[in-house]
Amino acid sequence: MAGSDKRQRDAQIKFRCTSEEFAAVAGKADKAGMSLAAFARTATVGAPGPRARRRVPADAYALRQVLGHLGKVGSNLNQIARYLHNGGDPQTVLPDIREALADQARLRGLIYEALGKTPDNAPPVNPQPPAASSKFIPPRKK
């Protein structure tokens, strides 16, 4: 076979649909982690094609929330560092450091969840969630 995979695909299938139908198909393709073309190819011929790559489906709303929480944790860590650089007593901020590390571990878990992945083998910073909710991360909605 000569030429690229794209050049070997020289025919197109086109059809009209409503905006709602398009949104439904695009949503299903996104949920499957595929481009529209790979999703359509899979639905019609049973395979996405040799060069199709699965995209990680992500919950954009959850990722925006996590990004905001990461900013808060980073700000807290910056304040702790400033306090320590100005000669502050480390024992005073030790609970805040522990809370920031626990927040970071929870955010890491939320990122994995939003990406539809399971955590890798890295040890958790704090395996038990604290009894009280974090001042930076609101409790999760069930």
Side-chain angles (χ1 to χ4, degrees), residues 112-130:
Y112 273 108
E113 185 179 313
L115 294 174
K117 299 280 186 179
T118 55
D120 57 16
N121 293 327
V125 174
N126 184 359
Q128 297 297 322

Side-chain angles (χ1 to χ4, degrees), residues 80 91 93-104 106 125-126:
I80 292 168
Q91 293 302 316
V93 291
L94 193 56
D96 292 323
I97 293 170
R98 286 189 176 121
E99 184 175 355
L101 289 172
D103 287 345
Q104 186 274 338
R106 284 192 294 276
V125 174
N126 184 359

Side-chain angles (χ1 to χ4, degrees), residues 83-84 87-94:
Y83 173 80
L84 292 172
D89 179 21
Q91 293 302 316
T92 304
V93 291
L94 193 56

Side-chain angles (χ1 to χ4, degrees), residues 47-132:
R51 293 179 56 193
R53 291 190 184 135
R54 290 190 62 82
R55 292 180 291 134
V56 176
D59 180 346
Y61 176 75
L63 290 175
R64 282 193 299 272
Q65 282 188 314
V66 169
L67 185 60
H69 297 315
L70 277 173
K72 291 176 185 178
V73 171
S75 175
N76 188 38
L77 288 172
N78 189 39
Q79 291 172 9
I80 292 168
R82 184 178 301 124
Y83 173 80
L84 292 172
H85 286 300
N86 288 326
D89 179 21
Q91 293 302 316
T92 304
V93 291
L94 193 56
D96 292 323
I97 293 170
R98 286 189 176 121
E99 184 175 355
L101 289 172
D103 287 345
Q104 186 274 338
R106 284 192 294 276
L107 289 170
R108 180 176 174 270
L110 290 172
I111 291 170
Y112 273 108
E113 185 179 313
L115 294 174
K117 299 280 186 179
T118 55
D120 57 16
N121 293 327
V125 174
N126 184 359
Q128 297 297 322

Side-chain angles (χ1 to χ4, degrees), residues 8-22:
Q8 292 173 14
R9 291 190 179 129
D10 58 355
Q12 293 183 8
I13 299 172
K14 297 180 183 182
F15 66 94
R16 295 189 179 275
C17 60
T18 66
S19 296
E20 292 80 17
E21 291 168 334
F22 181 85

